[in-house]
Amino acid sequence: LALESVSKTSEKLNKNYFQQVSPREINLFYIKDGLRERIEKSGDTWLVLNTDIRLTKETLEEELLNFPERFSPNVILRPLYQEAVLPNLAYIGGGGEIAYWLQLKEMFKNFKVPFPMLILRNSVLWYTSKQHRKLDKLGLSVQDLFQPLNKIKSDLIKRESDLDLSLSKYHQQLEAIFDDLERVALLTDKSMLGAVNAQQQKQLNGLANLRKKLLKAESRSHNDILDRAEKIYFELFPTNSLQERYSTLAVPYSEYGDDFIVKLLESINPLDFRFSLVEYHD
């Protein structure tokens, strides 16, 4: 039931969210004497992985009845388990956590467990005035860094280059040429239309490849500005992810002390779902 309902909901959410967790046919661990292993079904037998434990339907039901503490929920069933034991009116979490809980809504419904209200908490990007000055010199804002790094670099190259690296003019000219060729094909032999369209796609693909090569060649002449942009990007988005998923409070606190905590308290509201940009004037 969990596999079917979570998979169904995840399929709908994949249009707008990255799937956070993947359900299994059995979403339980077996716990005994320090052992904690997944349970998998093979035919009419339930196996505890990496052990010799084998359970039939009868022995499994007996274990569940007499030793329920031996069965522990995995990441899929844990929220269902905790809400059944200690119900909550609301769950407050970050973007990834909310996306994860959304995958579980149909499962809660099927198991008839009340689903809590989901509240997106405030998220923070912490940066210093020194980093702000570096961005100013690059002609970038902190908000610009929320784009993919490749997009940031591509925009910088276009801005710094005197050339029209989009090749949009040539793209338009090619399309106009092949529009005329399509009309000629329709007036002469309609069977030629496929060949014309294939040739058009080939030329457009060639133009796209040429654009990539031009961008690559142009980027070499702007290595300095691209390297500086990449460095500041990874300072604020370590491992290409949100700062809060990588950094801990210990690092800025060790450098700025109580001022760091005071600045955070002044700048954020945990129940404000907007993303906060907090600048520390060092």
Side-chain angles (χ1 to χ4, degrees):
L1 190 57
L3 174 64
E4 181 182 349
S5 56
V6 175
S7 296
K8 181 181 176 182
T9 306
S10 300
E11 187 177 342
K12 295 177 182 177
L13 291 172
N14 279 342
K15 298 173 183 177
N16 299 300
Y17 293 91
F18 291 110
Q19 185 168 325
Q20 302 293 318
V21 290
S22 298
R24 297 179 180 275
E25 184 178 1
I26 299 175
N27 295 282
L28 291 169
F29 290 98
Y30 186 82
I31 299 177
K32 185 180 180 182
D33 300 328
L35 171 77
R36 185 175 185 267
E37 291 287 350
R38 284 197 299 109
I39 303 170
E40 285 193 358
K41 188 178 181 184
S42 177
D44 295 327
T45 304
W46 283 262
L47 315 175
V48 178
L49 297 185
N50 302 313
T51 73
D52 295 327
I53 300 174
R54 302 290 184 269
L55 300 168
T56 63
K57 180 180 179 181
E58 291 73 22
T59 55
L60 178 61
E61 289 176 347
E62 185 179 325
E63 286 260 324
L64 284 166
L65 181 64
N66 297 320
F67 305 101
E69 70 278 7
R70 291 181 182 176
F71 298 87
S72 169
N74 72 351
V75 67
I76 293 291
L77 287 183
R78 180 185 57 78
L80 182 76
Y81 179 84
Q82 73 182 38
E83 293 300 321
V85 176
L86 295 170
N88 291 286
L89 285 174
Y91 176 85
I92 303 171
E97 294 164 314
I98 295 298
Y100 153 51
W101 273 77
L102 285 172
Q103 288 182 249
L104 311 177
K105 190 170 184 179
E106 187 72 18
M107 179 182 70
F108 271 73
K109 180 181 177 181
N110 289 337
F111 281 104
K112 296 181 173 54
V113 174
F115 190 72
M117 293 181 289
L118 301 181
I119 300 175
L120 180 64
R121 64 165 169 77
N122 189 207
S123 290
V124 176
L125 177 66
W126 167 272
Y127 63 99
T128 66
S129 54
K130 181 179 179 180
Q131 290 170 323
H132 197 166
R133 290 193 294 272
K134 288 180 180 178
L135 286 169
D136 285 342
K137 289 180 180 178
L138 291 168
L140 295 172
S141 67
V142 177
Q143 289 87 339
D144 289 330
L145 298 186
F146 283 83
Q147 304 175 91
L149 181 58
N150 285 341
K151 175 70 165 53
I152 296 170
K153 287 185 172 182
S154 176
D155 289 346
L156 281 172
I157 294 169
K158 291 174 187 175
R159 192 189 71 195
E160 296 296 316
S161 177
D162 295 326
L163 304 172
D164 178 14
L165 297 175
S166 69
L167 303 184
S168 58
K169 179 177 71 174
Y170 304 103
H171 192 282
Q172 292 170 3
Q173 289 175 353
L174 269 177
E175 288 194 330
I177 289 170
F178 279 96
D179 283 345
D180 286 340
L181 285 173
E182 280 188 7
R183 284 191 286 271
V184 172
L186 287 170
L187 291 171
T188 54
D189 186 349
K190 290 182 180 180
S191 65
M192 291 294 295
L193 195 58
V196 172
N197 290 333
Q199 188 60 226
Q200 179 183 13
Q201 192 58 53
K202 182 178 179 181
Q203 296 302 320
L204 291 174
N205 290 342
L207 190 64
N209 289 331
L210 180 59
R211 178 179 175 276
K212 289 179 184 178
K213 290 179 181 179
L214 286 170
L215 278 171
K216 189 174 181 180
E218 188 68 9
S219 68
R220 287 194 290 268
S221 63
H222 299 292
N223 273 339
D224 176 60
I225 192 171
L226 295 179
D227 287 346
R228 285 189 286 136
E230 182 173 308
K231 184 177 179 181
I232 190 70
Y233 176 85
F234 282 117
E235 284 179 10
L236 298 180
F237 290 84
T239 66
N240 204 30
S241 63
L242 291 179
Q243 188 185 64
E244 65 182 31
R245 292 187 175 182
Y246 178 84
S247 302
T248 68
L249 290 175
V251 176
Y253 185 79
S254 66
E255 187 170 353
Y256 305 111
D258 291 342
D259 284 349
F260 170 68
I261 303 299
V262 172
K263 181 68 174 177
L264 281 182
L265 290 174
E266 291 173 347
S267 305
I268 65 175
N269 176 357
L271 297 182
D272 184 348
F273 64 87
R274 290 173 296 183
F275 205 106
S276 295
L277 303 178
V278 180
E279 180 177 357
Y280 185 83
H281 296 279
D282 50 359

